[in-house]
Amino acid sequence: METVIVTDVPRADRAVVEEFSGIGAATVGEALGRSGDLGSDLRPIQQGTRIAGSAVTVLSWPGDNLMIHAAIEQCGPGDILVVATRSPSEQGMFGELFATSLQQRGVVGAIIGAGVRDTQELRDMSFPVWARHINVMGTVKNTPGAVNVPVILGGQAIDPGDILVCDDDGIVVVPRLEADDALAKSRARLAKEEATRTAFLGGELGLDRYGMRPRLQEMGVTYRRHPEAG
Amino acid sequence: METVIVTDVPRADRAVVEEFSGIGAATVGEALGRSGDLGSDLRPIQQGTRIAGSAVTVLSWPGDNLMIHAAIEQCGPGDILVVATRSPSEQGMFGELFATSLQQRGVVGAIIGAGVRDTQELRDMSFPVWARHINVMGTVKNTPGAVNVPVILGGQAIDPGDILVCDDDGIVVVPRLEADDALAKSRARLAKEEATRTAFLGGELGLDRYGMRPRLQEMGVTYRRHPEAG
Amino acid sequence: METVIVTDVPRADRAVVEEFSGIGAATVGEALGRSGDLGSDLRPIQQGTRIAGSAVTVLSWPGDNLMIHAAIEQCGPGDILVVATRSPSEQGMFGELFATSLQQRGVVGAIIGAGVRDTQELRDMSFPVWARHINVMGTVKNTPGAVNVPVILGGQAIDPGDILVCDDDGIVVVPRLEADDALAKSRARLAKEEATRTAFLGGELGLDRYGMRPRLQEMGVTYRRHPEAG
Amino acid sequence: METVIVTDVPRADRAVVEEFSGIGAATVGEALGRSGDLGSDLRPIQQGTRIAGSAVTVLSWPGDNLMIHAAIEQCGPGDILVVATRSPSEQGMFGELFATSLQQRGVVGAIIGAGVRDTQELRDMSFPVWARHINVMGTVKNTPGAVNVPVILGGQAIDPGDILVCDDDGIVVVPRLEADDALAKSRARLAKEEATRTAFLGGELGLDRYGMRPRLQEMGVTYRRHPEAG
Amino acid sequence: METVIVTDVPRADRAVVEEFSGIGAATVGEALGRSGDLGSDLRPIQQGTRIAGSAVTVLSWPGDNLMIHAAIEQCGPGDILVVATRSPSEQGMFGELFATSLQQRGVVGAIIGAGVRDTQELRDMSFPVWARHINVMGTVKNTPGAVNVPVILGGQAIDPGDILVCDDDGIVVVPRLEADDALAKSRARLAKEEATRTAFLGGELGLDRYGMRPRLQEMGVTYRRHPEAG
Amino acid sequence: METVIVTDVPRADRAVVEEFSGIGAATVGEALGRSGDLGSDLRPIQQGTRIAGSAVTVLSWPGDNLMIHAAIEQCGPGDILVVATRSPSEQGMFGELFATSLQQRGVVGAIIGAGVRDTQELRDMSFPVWARHINVMGTVKNTPGAVNVPVILGGQAIDPGDILVCDDDGIVVVPRLEADDALAKSRARLAKEEATRTAFLGGELGLDRYGMRPRLQEMGVTYRRHPEAG
């Protein structure tokens, strides 16, 4: 495992990042062609919060939060701390004291690919966290790792500086260099969803709106009345 | 996999179905002789909501929500959409746009044996959903399946038109043709629970109320003071 | 499996137990040298509640709540009911009626190493529960077990009379005879955390506060500017 | 839970059942239109064994094997014992002594939707078993259930008398009344697979054999040389 | 976490321990009144091996095998190395080199509550191992733990010197001080099983041998011919 | 999801790749600084086989093996087919017919991040496979994906042309461009392990060989005789 702390990571334009926070992870994921999602295991400890930020990544040894300390110095306004461990771990490697430091630096949230604790305190201080586990048990600070190297989390490769869009549904990663394009596609997707919503509210069916009736027929789907129907 | 859409499914009497919604899944399951529960994996995305409705069933290919579009047309007031997939899937195959269509038709909720997304929007619009996973990632519409055929979900066979009773504890299925009998038994169970509650509030013990002391003795259960007791 | 009900279990001093309830599981676990936690599987059914109490333990056969009835008589003010099963079970073996009895006796909560049901009612009556599963399905009362014997739950040995500290992060067990020492250490840990919080709010970094910079260097951790940095 | 033992269950023709044992679960499942599989959780305790037989079904309380005793009397030559539990259980509810009784009656194997034990003895006596868990721990005999009622196992409904085809890949259920049709389709599938095998051995590609090249193009799949290609 | 290495642990009589190795885990577990099993997660990496030995226990930090090195010096002929980690870990903390040292000292096997690697080499050298995971990835040696303290593994408390009986079905722990009694009960159980086997081979049913017919009737179990029976 | 098939992927030198096959995954992973492992979920369907090969990667839609057909044409001697799915899937997307095509082209094995079937036939034809699940149920061919794009599998990024070292312990990925360096380090590691093995066979302890005694002391690890020691 490499033991390096990378500094001066470029971030995407702040205004671009912030616009993602108003859109939502599912819409951005669709706009990206159904990609970038971190799966269903990383769950929010709060409800109703939607954020976007630039990744400061940490690669930690399981049961060891030494490198989170090293990472905090690399975090700034608009960032999200992203912690991956070298193998699965459930221990509570992030809590209220780290969040205090991060919030003081303008960091908007954290994604912990292991366990989090102090969950009530984190909700009370409005510091949002997504994590795999909630766990009382803490960690040691004995084994080195890396900060701001590419990490794999939730089946996605995340580079430092990539944009993370997080809400109650989960997390989507947008590569930093594709941010502008992804934002344009996300806006288009939002508009399309709004039009569909209006149509559905008016009673139009997806079957008709998307022209699915002939396709169902081609696929051999047939209609049949229930045997007990009157 | 059969590829058919069954129409004109008979439902149980609307008043009967609605009365179940006031009773709760655990009580109905007990009244049915401890049967009909869909296990502990299908969790509500909201808290404090209790519904009952008639099943419109969907059998979908994993990662594909084509048949949900076809099913919506078969849904009406008082129904619950029930989606099973042919093999386990975590993808978010149901979200706010489907819920918009369903709510417009009077559907009271959905049970998704895979993933759901747009969870905050669904809570905001008061459309209750029970699901196995919450997942940003969406689906394609390429593979046919079936609507209103019998499905297996949570270890239970569900026929279209069966009644589903859903709350924070989970889900119980009541076969359509047993609805009246199940309702009578559920009312009786409710009354029994109320009497027990009153007795327990008054300090009576289950040990005495259910005559368990002699049974414990027969089973060889003995009493012993703690060695450190004064 | 032994079939005995142990009576007259000694408890720790009530004032000591209650002071733990104001401290929180993570802090107590740290104070104990990172030990005593029951892992990440036992989750609260409510949010924002912190309790501590003396364990009344139950060892039940899976799918059978007979011994919980026998245990209630052994419970008193300030106790927490702790239920372990002889092998993994998801069934809902605890619910509102048991909670009614327990609350009437002054019991402050329950920890169920299987399933719980009536979760909305339990929240409504402010009886806090931690459990592995939420499950509609109930149990029988056919197989004996034991009350107030040592049990293993969440990878910890719990003796009757031990203190359990429970909150949103999970559960920590404090051995009864170590209660005073654990409380002193927990108070010290609280004070240390408060000082760290103040330092972090003032912008001090953990790297500096804990003297980590030289240790990182010794471990071979190096700093490197990002290749795209200006 | 119903408490009944159904006797005199009709079986499919013995010769038909036995022919399935030479075909294999995957081929039969494909022939049935990709249906009938019991998923990936029920694993064989032996390797290289392929059987088919008629289901004698058992619905047991978790941790209780009383009804298996009752079921043995209903088993005869060519049968497979199929045990489902009312909720998930890992306990070893089946072992060598049951297998001795069953083998004495001509039963060809067992499918246990919970735990099995005596696995080495079962392999030594050539009695094949598929199970969810391997577990030392045994069961009690205190709670009634049912024999030869429809059960749900591995996401499939199994009626008594249905045919089960079991091998290293898993299990497929063939409804008794569809046995002849399923056998004809399975034979056809076998022949098709044999022809494909010969073609593939000769170097033909699936892309060409199944006419996939134009379909890939229609779907927008493009070819691109690797940037480092010579 | 305590950081101590306990030396000179008393073992049970060697002849007693060795006799358990001929009996098998399931039989010993039954003889102990269905207790002592370590559940279904610790699986053997080999097939057909049955051992018994005295526990040398290790409590390790996850992802760290430092204390295994310290434990080897405490191991001698007839011992089994038992490794628990402070929180769940999948890393391969035990392999062929450790086994070489242990085998050189007469140790008969190892139980690893985390991951093992070099599985083919371990089979080749006939050093049996039971483990939760098989995993290529190794560990560091940075964090202290304990040797020969009581550990919890597989839901059981294991004291150093306790006897472990391990085979293809799993593992049972026999407390050191109960060894003689457990052996006597195990022999009696073996004899009982042999008599039952002979009876079953002769066609006697458990229903009759255990007098279950009247009990089934009392429980309300009824017999009914299948509706399609001739 | 990108829909492209990349051709003419460069491979590492064939002799280098083949030498890895004699070394073993755990040793290569250690040599790489404890990195590159694909975790504990991808298990071999055979025992005692060790291979290494160059990755031909496939990114498939869950439940759909269309792109495996497209990938076969891109495979040649010494390659390993590596299949990732866009979200978790248990379906059997690879079996004997694909293996027949691949073996005919000189491919040495397959890694399937979903389900495999025809496992007995695959063992009989000596085509080794590592997979997450074994599952009877097959797939459709309706949804496009990609061939020879970077994929994430088992928490590792795999580029087409990377080297995979696979055995009973699991899988390690060696980046193509680091192959020579990794091989040199692996040879050195092998030599070091051989020397350690000789020392351990001679009775030397790791405690002494690695100079751990003073480190344990520094960490505060103490020795204590067992209270019952003579």
Side-chain angles (χ1 to χ4, degrees):
Chain A
M1 207 164 77
E2 214 187 3
T3 52
V4 68
I5 297 166
V6 176
T7 66
D8 304 282
V9 169
R11 270 77 165 177
D13 184 82
R14 189 77 184 274
V16 169
V17 176
E18 280 175 3
E19 190 171 341
F20 279 112
S21 75
I23 297 178
T27 299
V28 175
E30 282 295 316
L32 293 173
R34 286 186 207 103
S35 70
D37 71 281
L38 272 66
S40 54
D41 288 340
L42 286 155
R43 305 306 315 149
I45 62 164
Q46 65 288 320
Q47 199 171 83
T49 298
R50 179 167 283 170
I51 63 167
S54 299
V56 171
T57 64
V58 183
L59 183 55
S60 283
W61 196 253
D64 198 299
N65 68 9
L66 174 67
M67 299 313 289
I68 300 183
H69 284 283
I72 286 175
E73 194 173 27
Q74 308 305 322
C75 292
D79 285 345
I80 292 179
L81 182 80
V82 178
V83 181
T85 55
R86 229 347 240 108
S87 80
S89 171
E90 301 188 6
Q91 287 173 254
M93 67 194 306
F94 185 90
E96 175 236 347
L97 290 173
F98 276 136
T100 301
S101 263
L102 290 174
Q103 205 169 46
Q104 197 265 349
R105 301 175 78 84
V107 172
V108 296
I111 300 171
I112 309 296
V116 64
R117 55 184 187 170
D118 303 332
T119 51
Q120 186 56 45
E121 291 82 350
L122 291 165
R123 282 187 290 265
D124 287 346
M125 65 194 282
S126 295
F127 187 84
V129 177
W130 285 252
R132 280 236 174 77
H133 304 277
I134 297 174
N135 197 337
V136 166
M137 187 186 164
T139 54
V140 292
K141 304 178 200 332
N142 294 338
T143 301
V147 174
N148 278 331
V149 296
V151 295
I152 308 281
L153 190 61
Q156 296 290 343
I158 302 174
D159 280 334
D162 281 352
I163 300 167
L164 293 152
V165 186
C166 317
D167 62 20
D168 289 359
D169 291 344
I171 303 164
V172 166
V173 57
V174 178
R176 177 173 56 93
L177 298 176
E178 300 173 22
D180 291 333
D181 182 51
L183 185 55
K185 286 176 177 162
S186 296
R187 285 178 190 144
R189 173 82 195 177
L190 262 190
K192 186 183 162 200
E193 289 175 357
E194 180 55 31
T196 305
R197 189 177 300 113
T198 305
F200 284 5
L201 280 170
E204 191 179 359
L205 288 173
L207 275 186
D208 297 310
R209 187 169 179 84
Y210 304 129
M212 286 173 174
R213 293 189 196 274
R215 287 186 55 213
L216 285 173
Q217 205 170 353
E218 277 169 39
M219 288 172 173
V221 178
T222 55
Y223 284 81
R224 183 171 74 208
R225 272 171 68 83
H226 192 279
E228 294 178 50
Chain B
M1 207 166 75
E2 214 188 2
T3 53
V4 68
I5 298 166
V6 175
T7 66
D8 304 283
V9 169
R11 271 75 165 178
D13 183 83
R14 190 75 185 275
V16 169
V17 176
E18 280 176 2
E19 191 173 340
F20 279 112
S21 76
I23 297 178
T27 299
V28 175
E30 282 295 316
L32 293 174
R34 288 187 206 103
S35 70
D37 71 282
L38 273 65
S40 55
D41 289 339
L42 286 155
R43 305 306 316 147
I45 64 164
Q46 66 286 322
Q47 199 171 82
T49 298
R50 179 167 282 170
I51 63 168
S54 299
V56 171
T57 64
V58 182
L59 184 54
S60 282
W61 195 252
D64 197 299
N65 68 9
L66 174 67
M67 299 313 288
I68 300 183
H69 284 284
I72 286 175
E73 195 173 25
Q74 308 305 321
C75 292
D79 285 346
I80 292 180
L81 182 79
V82 178
V83 181
T85 54
R86 239 332 251 113
S87 80
S89 171
E90 301 188 6
Q91 286 174 256
M93 68 193 305
F94 185 89
E96 175 236 347
L97 290 173
F98 277 135
T100 301
S101 264
L102 291 174
Q103 205 169 45
Q104 197 266 347
R105 301 174 78 84
V107 172
V108 296
I111 300 171
I112 310 297
V116 64
R117 55 184 187 171
D118 303 333
T119 51
Q120 187 55 45
E121 290 83 350
L122 290 164
R123 281 187 291 264
D124 287 346
M125 66 194 282
S126 294
F127 186 85
V129 176
W130 286 253
R132 279 237 175 76
H133 304 276
I134 297 174
N135 198 337
V136 166
M137 188 187 163
T139 55
V140 293
K141 304 177 201 331
N142 293 339
T143 301
V147 173
N148 278 332
V149 296
V151 296
I152 308 282
L153 190 62
Q156 296 290 344
I158 302 174
D159 281 334
D162 281 352
I163 300 168
L164 294 151
V165 186
C166 317
D167 61 20
D168 289 358
D169 291 343
I171 303 165
V172 165
V173 57
V174 178
R176 177 173 56 92
L177 298 176
E178 301 172 21
D180 291 334
D181 182 52
L183 185 55
K185 286 176 177 162
S186 296
R187 284 178 189 144
R189 171 86 195 175
L190 262 190
K192 187 183 162 201
E193 289 175 357
E194 180 55 32
T196 305
R197 189 177 300 112
T198 303
F200 284 4
L201 280 170
E204 192 179 358
L205 288 173
L207 274 186
D208 297 310
R209 188 169 178 83
Y210 304 129
M212 286 173 173
R213 293 190 195 271
R215 286 187 55 214
L216 285 172
Q217 205 170 353
E218 277 168 40
M219 288 173 173
V221 178
T222 55
Y223 284 80
R224 184 171 75 208
R225 272 172 67 83
H226 192 279
E228 296 177 50
Chain C
M1 209 165 76
E2 215 187 1
T3 52
V4 68
I5 297 167
V6 175
T7 66
D8 304 282
V9 169
R11 271 75 166 176
D13 183 82
R14 189 76 185 274
V16 170
V17 177
E18 280 176 3
E19 190 172 340
F20 279 112
S21 75
I23 297 178
T27 298
V28 174
E30 282 294 315
L32 293 174
R34 286 185 207 103
S35 70
D37 71 282
L38 272 67
S40 54
D41 289 341
L42 286 155
R43 305 305 317 148
I45 64 163
Q46 65 288 320
Q47 200 171 80
T49 297
R50 178 168 285 170
I51 63 168
S54 299
V56 171
T57 64
V58 183
L59 184 55
S60 282
W61 196 253
D64 197 299
N65 68 9
L66 173 67
M67 298 313 289
I68 300 182
H69 284 284
I72 285 175
E73 195 174 25
Q74 307 306 323
C75 292
D79 285 345
I80 291 179
L81 183 80
V82 178
V83 182
T85 54
R86 235 337 246 112
S87 80
S89 171
E90 302 187 6
Q91 287 174 254
M93 67 195 304
F94 185 89
E96 175 238 347
L97 289 173
F98 277 135
T100 300
S101 263
L102 291 174
Q103 206 169 44
Q104 197 266 347
R105 301 174 78 84
V107 172
V108 296
I111 301 171
I112 309 295
V116 64
R117 55 184 187 170
D118 303 333
T119 50
Q120 187 55 46
E121 290 83 351
L122 290 165
R123 282 187 290 264
D124 287 347
M125 65 194 281
S126 295
F127 187 85
V129 177
W130 285 252
R132 279 236 175 76
H133 304 276
I134 296 173
N135 197 336
V136 166
M137 187 186 164
T139 54
V140 292
K141 304 177 202 330
N142 294 339
T143 300
V147 173
N148 278 332
V149 296
V151 296
I152 308 280
L153 191 62
Q156 296 290 342
I158 302 174
D159 280 335
D162 282 351
I163 300 169
L164 295 152
V165 186
C166 318
D167 62 20
D168 289 358
D169 291 344
I171 302 164
V172 166
V173 58
V174 179
R176 177 172 57 91
L177 298 176
E178 301 172 20
D180 291 333
D181 182 52
L183 184 55
K185 286 177 177 161
S186 297
R187 284 179 190 142
R189 172 84 195 175
L190 263 190
K192 187 184 161 200
E193 289 175 357
E194 180 54 32
T196 305
R197 189 177 299 111
T198 304
F200 284 5
L201 279 170
E204 191 179 357
L205 288 174
L207 274 186
D208 298 309
R209 187 170 179 81
Y210 305 128
M212 287 174 172
R213 294 190 195 273
R215 286 186 55 213
L216 286 172
Q217 206 170 353
E218 277 168 39
M219 288 172 171
V221 178
T222 55
Y223 283 81
R224 183 171 75 208
R225 273 171 66 83
H226 192 279
E228 295 177 50
Chain D
M1 207 164 74
E2 212 188 3
T3 52
V4 68
I5 297 167
V6 175
T7 66
D8 304 281
V9 169
R11 271 75 165 177
D13 184 82
R14 189 76 184 273
V16 169
V17 176
E18 280 175 4
E19 190 173 340
F20 278 112
S21 76
I23 297 178
T27 298
V28 175
E30 282 295 316
L32 292 174
R34 286 186 206 102
S35 69
D37 71 281
L38 272 66
S40 54
D41 289 339
L42 286 154
R43 306 304 316 147
I45 63 163
Q46 65 289 321
Q47 200 171 81
T49 298
R50 178 167 285 169
I51 62 167
S54 299
V56 171
T57 64
V58 183
L59 184 55
S60 282
W61 196 253
D64 197 300
N65 67 8
L66 174 67
M67 299 314 289
I68 300 183
H69 285 282
I72 286 175
E73 195 174 26
Q74 309 306 320
C75 292
D79 285 346
I80 292 179
L81 182 81
V82 178
V83 181
T85 55
R86 238 334 250 115
S87 81
S89 172
E90 302 187 6
Q91 287 174 255
M93 66 194 307
F94 186 90
E96 174 235 347
L97 289 174
F98 277 136
T100 300
S101 263
L102 291 174
Q103 206 170 43
Q104 197 266 349
R105 302 175 77 85
V107 172
V108 296
I111 301 171
I112 309 296
V116 65
R117 55 183 186 170
D118 303 333
T119 51
Q120 187 55 44
E121 290 83 351
L122 291 164
R123 282 187 291 263
D124 288 345
M125 64 194 282
S126 295
F127 187 85
V129 177
W130 284 252
R132 280 236 174 76
H133 304 276
I134 296 174
N135 197 336
V136 166
M137 187 187 163
T139 55
V140 292
K141 304 177 201 331
N142 294 339
T143 301
V147 173
N148 278 331
V149 296
V151 296
I152 308 281
L153 190 62
Q156 296 289 344
I158 302 174
D159 280 334
D162 281 351
I163 300 168
L164 294 152
V165 187
C166 317
D167 62 20
D168 289 359
D169 291 344
I171 303 164
V172 165
V173 57
V174 178
R176 176 172 57 93
L177 299 176
E178 300 173 21
D180 291 332
D181 182 50
L183 184 55
K185 285 177 177 160
S186 296
R187 285 178 188 143
R189 173 83 196 177
L190 263 190
K192 187 183 161 201
E193 289 175 358
E194 180 54 32
T196 305
R197 190 176 300 112
T198 304
F200 284 5
L201 280 170
E204 191 179 358
L205 288 173
L207 275 186
D208 297 310
R209 187 169 178 83
Y210 305 129
M212 285 173 174
R213 292 190 196 273
R215 286 184 57 213
L216 285 172
Q217 205 170 353
E218 277 169 40
M219 287 171 173
V221 178
T222 55
Y223 284 81
R224 184 173 73 209
R225 272 171 68 81
H226 191 279
E228 294 177 51
Chain E
M1 208 164 76
E2 214 186 0
T3 53
V4 69
I5 298 167
V6 176
T7 66
D8 303 281
V9 169
R11 271 76 165 176
D13 183 83
R14 190 75 186 276
V16 170
V17 176
E18 279 175 5
E19 190 172 340
F20 279 112
S21 75
I23 297 179
T27 298
V28 175
E30 283 294 315
L32 292 173
R34 286 184 207 105
S35 70
D37 72 281
L38 273 65
S40 54
D41 288 340
L42 285 155
R43 304 306 315 147
I45 64 164
Q46 66 287 323
Q47 200 171 83
T49 298
R50 178 168 284 170
I51 63 167
S54 298
V56 171
T57 64
V58 183
L59 183 55
S60 282
W61 196 252
D64 197 299
N65 67 8
L66 174 67
M67 298 314 288
I68 300 183
H69 285 283
I72 286 175
E73 196 174 22
Q74 308 305 321
C75 291
D79 285 346
I80 292 180
L81 182 79
V82 178
V83 182
T85 55
R86 235 340 246 112
S87 80
S89 171
E90 302 187 6
Q91 286 173 257
M93 65 193 309
F94 185 88
E96 174 236 347
L97 290 174
F98 276 135
T100 301
S101 263
L102 291 174
Q103 207 169 42
Q104 197 267 346
R105 302 175 77 85
V107 172
V108 297
I111 301 171
I112 309 296
V116 64
R117 55 183 187 169
D118 304 333
T119 51
Q120 187 55 44
E121 290 83 351
L122 291 165
R123 282 187 291 265
D124 287 346
M125 64 193 284
S126 295
F127 187 85
V129 177
W130 284 253
R132 280 238 173 75
H133 304 276
I134 296 174
N135 197 336
V136 166
M137 187 185 164
T139 55
V140 292
K141 304 178 202 330
N142 294 338
T143 301
V147 173
N148 277 332
V149 295
V151 297
I152 308 279
L153 191 61
Q156 295 290 343
I158 302 174
D159 281 334
D162 281 351
I163 299 168
L164 294 151
V165 186
C166 318
D167 62 19
D168 288 0
D169 291 344
I171 302 165
V172 165
V173 58
V174 178
R176 177 172 56 91
L177 298 175
E178 301 173 21
D180 291 332
D181 182 52
L183 184 55
K185 286 178 177 159
S186 297
R187 285 179 190 144
R189 173 84 194 173
L190 262 190
K192 187 183 162 200
E193 289 176 357
E194 180 55 31
T196 306
R197 189 177 300 112
T198 304
F200 284 5
L201 279 170
E204 191 180 358
L205 288 172
L207 275 185
D208 298 309
R209 188 168 177 83
Y210 304 129
M212 287 173 171
R213 293 191 197 270
R215 286 185 56 212
L216 286 172
Q217 206 171 351
E218 276 168 41
M219 288 171 171
V221 178
T222 55
Y223 284 80
R224 184 172 72 210
R225 273 171 67 83
H226 191 279
E228 294 177 51
Chain F
M1 208 165 74
E2 213 188 2
T3 52
V4 68
I5 297 166
V6 176
T7 67
D8 305 281
V9 169
R11 270 76 164 177
D13 183 81
R14 189 75 185 276
V16 170
V17 176
E18 280 175 4
E19 190 172 339
F20 279 111
S21 75
I23 297 178
T27 299
V28 175
E30 282 295 315
L32 292 173
R34 287 187 205 102
S35 69
D37 72 282
L38 271 66
S40 54
D41 288 341
L42 286 154
R43 305 305 315 148
I45 63 164
Q46 66 287 320
Q47 200 171 82
T49 298
R50 179 167 284 169
I51 63 168
S54 299
V56 171
T57 64
V58 183
L59 184 54
S60 283
W61 196 253
D64 197 299
N65 67 9
L66 174 67
M67 298 314 288
I68 299 183
H69 284 283
I72 285 175
E73 195 173 25
Q74 308 305 320
C75 292
D79 285 345
I80 292 180
L81 181 80
V82 178
V83 181
T85 55
R86 239 334 250 114
S87 80
S89 171
E90 301 187 6
Q91 287 174 256
M93 65 194 307
F94 185 89
E96 174 236 347
L97 289 174
F98 276 135
T100 300
S101 263
L102 291 175
Q103 206 169 42
Q104 197 267 346
R105 301 175 78 84
V107 172
V108 296
I111 300 171
I112 309 297
V116 64
R117 54 183 188 170
D118 303 333
T119 50
Q120 187 55 44
E121 290 83 350
L122 290 165
R123 281 187 291 263
D124 287 346
M125 65 193 284
S126 295
F127 187 85
V129 177
W130 285 253
R132 280 238 174 75
H133 304 276
I134 297 174
N135 197 337
V136 166
M137 188 186 164
T139 55
V140 293
K141 306 178 201 328
N142 294 338
T143 301
V147 174
N148 278 331
V149 296
V151 296
I152 308 280
L153 190 61
Q156 296 289 344
I158 302 173
D159 280 334
D162 282 351
I163 300 168
L164 294 151
V165 186
C166 317
D167 62 21
D168 288 359
D169 290 344
I171 302 164
V172 165
V173 57
V174 178
R176 178 173 55 93
L177 298 176
E178 300 172 22
D180 292 333
D181 182 51
L183 185 55
K185 287 176 176 161
S186 297
R187 285 177 189 146
R189 173 85 195 173
L190 263 190
K192 186 183 162 202
E193 290 175 356
E194 180 54 31
T196 305
R197 189 176 301 113
T198 304
F200 284 5
L201 279 171
E204 192 180 357
L205 288 173
L207 275 186
D208 297 308
R209 189 169 177 82
Y210 304 129
M212 285 172 173
R213 292 190 197 271
R215 286 184 56 213
L216 286 172
Q217 206 171 352
E218 277 169 40
M219 287 171 172
V221 178
T222 55
Y223 284 81
R224 184 170 73 207
R225 272 171 68 82
H226 193 278
E228 295 177 51

